[in-house]
Amino acid sequence: MTFRNKKVVFDAPKVMGILNVTPDSFSDGGKFDNIDSAISQCAFMCEQGATFIDVGGESTRPGATPVGEDEELSRVIPVIDAISKRFDVIISVDTSKATVMSEAAAHGAGLINDVRALSQPGALETAAELAAKHNIPSCIMHMQGTPLTMQNGPQYDSVVDEVVEFFRQQLERLTHAGFHYKQIMLDPGFGFGKTLDHNYQMLKHFIRFTEFDLPVMAGMSRKSMIGDLLNKKVDDRIAGDVCVNTLASMSGASVLRVHDVKEAMDVVKIIEKINQVA
Ligand code: 8Y4
């Protein structure tokens, strides 16, 4: 798959480092502070082997309050601009808003990562135009409900079947809008309207998501599917992360979206070796 002008071969999984540019409540530092820390965090993840950096300015954690367009733009665009000038990494923009997508693309983004699967006003049209004009793929994630309500009693007959069917429908919709098939990445959306069992059903049968011959992303890093099962706080989930990323990798995951790039790269190198030996 090609991201703008960079070709990536998914013979083994690649790592996407998470770069949050949501303000934290313990810091009232100005925008320059945030950009400087974003740059150093990005440098750190690039040195460790990240192929992608996912820049997000909207929290999609359960119950998070929505952020306005101007606020999201002012958080995300200066960071994308700074990263694209300094690092040879593929910048992924984590957004659902059409304006943020096009501004991010204008400042160097190479992938659109939309947890709402291009469902917001103008998002499909904008993403399709960016795919056609600049060869910017989109990652389409499955979510049941909205971030506000998704975790109150999610239900499926079969979560795996429903996610596969969702992918089928989205591929139809995106190709109809002008996307080339090979410009679409898929993501089952761990933690987005799923119970603990739903998440582990998706992990157990992850290989089912690879039937479309498209790259599949797995985002489980530090999520409650690890913390709740193991009874571990967010900063004590690395071993769990490594385990689930190994399992997803063995089932054909192409991109591991993680906070801890160094540990995920160990997984990638072992998978690469497994793929090489007889
Ligand atoms: C600690 C910190 C615990 C953050 C949980 C979290 C995905 C995603 C998110 C994903 C794709 C998150 C933007 C949720 N998850 N995009 N985004 N796939 N494609 N929570 O799974 O990281 S945000």
Side-chain angles (χ1 to χ4, degrees):
M1 183 175 250
T2 304
F3 302 87
R4 200 178 259 273
N5 50 2
K6 291 192 178 77
K7 187 172 176 165
V8 177
V9 179
F10 293 111
D11 44 1
K14 304 296 181 199
V15 173
M16 171 180 282
I18 299 168
L19 187 59
N20 275 317
V21 292
T22 49
D24 74 51
S25 47
F26 304 103
S27 157
D28 62 348
K31 297 229 161 67
F32 289 108
D33 283 1
N34 293 326
I35 289 174
D36 283 352
S37 72
I39 289 168
S40 59
Q41 178 65 12
C42 180
F44 185 62
M45 294 193 289
C46 289
E47 282 161 26
Q48 294 179 129
T51 301
F52 303 90
I53 298 292
D54 192 38
V55 181
E58 183 211 15
S59 176
T60 41
R61 301 177 82 152
T65 46
V67 50
E69 183 173 297
D70 292 347
E71 177 64 22
E72 195 178 330
L73 282 168
S74 74
R75 288 178 189 177
V76 155
I77 302 304
V79 171
I80 290 175
D81 186 68
I83 291 173
S84 69
K85 285 172 176 157
R86 289 171 178 79
F87 304 98
D88 186 32
V89 69
I90 299 165
I91 301 169
S92 164
V93 60
D94 159 20
T95 190
S96 298
K97 294 185 181 72
T99 49
V100 179
M101 291 171 190
S102 55
E103 281 302 302
H107 288 83
L111 171 67
I112 292 162
N113 175 30
D114 185 2
V115 299
R116 294 179 185 80
L118 308 178
S119 65
Q120 300 300 101
L124 177 64
E125 295 76 7
T126 300
E129 187 178 304
L130 297 173
K133 286 192 180 159
H134 307 289
N135 198 18
I136 298 176
S138 284
C139 180
I140 296 302
M141 200 195 76
H142 176 273
M143 166 163 46
Q144 186 182 80
T146 67
L148 199 67
T149 61
M150 64 188 181
Q151 287 313 107
N152 59 48
Q155 283 191 3
Y156 301 87
D157 287 333
S158 159
V159 65
V160 174
D161 287 349
E162 286 189 36
V163 169
V164 168
E165 179 54 26
F166 169 81
F167 288 158
R168 194 183 313 284
Q169 288 169 7
Q170 292 301 316
L171 286 168
E172 181 100 9
R173 175 174 167 263
L174 266 68
T175 51
H176 194 79
F179 276 84
H180 293 298
Y181 194 80
K182 292 286 173 186
Q183 290 176 321
I184 305 168
M185 192 182 288
L186 304 172
D187 186 326
F190 288 98
F192 286 86
K194 280 97 180 175
T195 63
L196 184 69
D197 278 26
H198 294 144
N199 287 316
Y200 280 95
Q201 285 165 11
M202 297 205 305
L203 179 56
K204 180 172 181 173
H205 303 288
F206 194 89
I207 198 158
R208 293 269 318 273
F209 305 136
T210 65
E211 75 168 61
F212 300 100
D213 262 308
L214 293 172
V216 183
M217 178 146 77
M220 298 178 278
S221 184
R222 299 184 185 176
K223 284 183 181 175
S224 60
M225 65 179 284
I226 294 155
D228 290 355
L229 185 71
L230 305 179
N231 204 1
K232 306 258 190 182
K233 297 252 166 58
V234 273
D235 52 357
D236 194 23
R237 297 178 184 177
I238 289 188
D241 280 357
V242 168
C243 179
V244 297
N245 283 324
T246 303
L247 291 167
S249 297
M250 288 303 289
S251 300
S254 290
V255 180
L256 305 173
R257 182 182 180 275
V258 302
H259 298 85
D260 305 288
V261 172
K262 185 173 70 136
E263 288 79 5
M265 282 304 295
D266 286 352
V267 172
V268 167
K269 284 168 191 162
I270 289 169
I271 299 293
E272 283 173 344
K273 193 65 187 173
I274 292 288
N275 290 344
Q276 281 163 20
V277 295

